[in-house]
Every structure is written in structure tokens, then in C-alpha cells.
Amino acid sequence: MGGPPVTARVWSVQESLEVPFPPQTVYAALADVRRMTEWSTEVIGVWPRGERFVGINRKACWVWFTTCRIVVADPGREFAFDVTTFGLPVARWGYRLTPAGEGTHVTEYWVDQRRRGWRRRVAETLGLLFTGTPPARRAARNRAAMRVTLQRLAAGLRAAA
């Protein structure tokens, strides 16, 4: 009986921010995947290859690569990509854009339900080795990173205006 309470693992999170720019402007910035290095807390490099791109990521002393495939490219509405590492499915990252008066309500989301069966265990082990983040803490870490990402996106859009 005693001991810490057990909490259920969180498999998806989202964060939102309203920016004073039209959806098309926000979408153009997000769809230029090379610009992720400007606002992401982890991405330090991007190598675009058509509908796919390789992300080079870093957290403290950990560095890892991901292969991403753009799965939603709906200008002014949504941009999303599926992430794999070593051929193993990891997660979907995306951005939904909703007009809000003169600006845009930007929602960044992450869904980690692509990991299944034995691949899930391998992908989670690799995730721990490469990012230093245990699976149970991944959602909280991603939520905090999303807040920073959205703030940096807004600042980048303001600077470019």
C-alpha cells in the first residue's frame, strides 16, 4: 500500500497560442522545415528531402537523428509529420491553424501512439538512450517544449514582419 500514486502515461499533448498573423503566413513559416531550428528547443539541424526530412536533435549532451515524413500539408490549416528513428515509428507532430480575428490560433500537438508491440519497447529504449527522458516523463517534457516553441514561433514571425 504506501508508495507514490501511479499515474497513467500520457500519449498525446497539445499547446496553443494566438499570434497576430494570418494563417497563411504562419503556415508558410511552419512548412519551411529548415526553420524549425529557430524555434524548437531540440532541433539543431534539418535536411529537407521533398516530403521527407531528417531532423538532427539535441538535449543537453544527447544528440539523435529522426526521419520525418510530411503527412498533412493543408496550407493555412494544418501541417503535420510522422517521426521515425532507425525505421521505428515514434510519433506524430503537427500544427493546427484556426483564424482568430486578425490573427491565428496555433495549436501544436504531439501523439505518441504510433509505437506498438515489440517496436514500442525498442523505440522507448532508444528514446531513453538518445534523449535521456524516460517514457513516463516524455509528455510533460514535450508540453514544456511546445510552450517555448510557440513563443519562439511568434517572436520569429514578429521579427520577419
Side-chain angles (χ1 to χ4, degrees), residues 89-101:
V90 175
R92 176 169 290 179
W93 283 88
Y95 301 86
R96 289 189 187 94
L97 311 174
T98 308

Side-chain angles (χ1 to χ4, degrees), residues 1-46:
M1 308 222 203
V6 176
T7 58
R9 177 149 174 210
V10 177
W11 294 93
S12 66
V13 293
Q14 65 180 29
E15 283 292 322
S16 298
L17 181 69
E18 195 167 312
V19 297
F21 299 93
Q24 294 291 0
T25 300
V26 179
Y27 180 89
L30 292 168
D32 182 355
V33 295
R34 296 168 299 182
R35 294 192 66 193
M36 283 186 198
T37 60
E38 296 175 35
W39 38 73
S40 172
T41 60
E42 292 181 345
V43 179
I44 59 172
V46 176

Side-chain angles (χ1 to χ4, degrees), residues 23-24 26-36 39 46 48 50-53 68-83 92-98 106-110 153:
Q24 294 291 0
V26 179
Y27 180 89
L30 292 168
D32 182 355
V33 295
R34 296 168 299 182
R35 294 192 66 193
M36 283 186 198
W39 38 73
V46 176
E51 72 175 24
R52 296 182 185 274
F53 60 95
C68 305
R69 183 173 60 88
I70 298 168
V71 293
V72 180
D74 188 358
R77 292 196 175 121
E78 185 173 3
F79 180 76
F81 50 93
D82 285 348
V83 178
R92 176 169 290 179
W93 283 88
Y95 301 86
R96 289 189 187 94
L97 311 174
T98 308
V106 183
T107 300
E108 181 176 10
Y109 63 91
W110 165 80
L153 171 65

